[in-house]
Amino acid sequence: MCDCRDSYLTSCSTFFQICSSSQNCVTGSPLLLGFVESRKAEIGIKIVEDTKDLEESFDMIFSLNFMRLLVQQIHKLQFYAIPKPNLHVEMVGKEWIDVVPSSPNSYELRSSIYSSLNACPLEKICVMEITE
């Protein structure tokens, strides 16, 4: 039996990039990609010198080999739950009505992009700092 995910991943490039939406990210940054490939790393991180909040501003490259490994080691990611109010519907009589909760009624699970570093050996991570 063929696993479609694996056949798709092997037909694509060997790295992919994740950028925060709060910065001007150069997709397919040749400088970062070249650095990661030359170091034979699994994860590459670009940090800009004047960055105030690394959670809000990041540029990372992951190898697809590492992502295959991470999918099998999802327990190494650190998730935290945030209470959230979510709209829903309830049947009252024979009619569905919208319910707007006044307090949280569910949880949103979040994980920092940096928690993926827990699943990667330190010698396979490279960091590039951009100074101006």
Side-chain angles (χ1 to χ4, degrees), residues 21-105:
S21 60
S22 65
Q23 70 177 16
N24 293 330
C25 177
V26 177
T27 305
S29 170
L31 185 61
L32 181 58
L33 181 56
F35 180 56
V36 171
E37 284 187 320
S38 72
R39 305 300 304 158
K40 295 182 175 46
E42 298 292 333
I43 298 176
I45 306 168
K46 181 172 77 174
I47 298 173
V48 178
E49 182 180 39
D50 61 351
T51 300
K52 304 275 188 275
D53 185 1
L54 291 176
E55 285 294 325
E56 294 298 322
S57 179
F58 55 84
D59 188 355
M60 298 176 75
I61 290 183
F62 296 90
S63 76
L64 290 182
N65 289 332
F66 172 73
M67 293 311 292
R68 286 186 192 103
L69 176 70
L70 185 61
V71 167
Q72 296 177 10
Q73 297 182 23
I74 201 79
H75 62 279
K76 291 192 175 182
L77 296 178
Q78 298 167 341
F79 290 93
Y80 54 96
I82 299 174
K84 294 277 185 171
N86 276 302
L87 305 174
H88 61 281
V89 294
E90 287 183 9
M91 184 168 275
V92 176
K94 295 183 180 187
E95 194 174 319
W96 290 101
I97 61 164
D98 292 328
V99 177
V100 179
S102 59
S103 61
N105 61 347

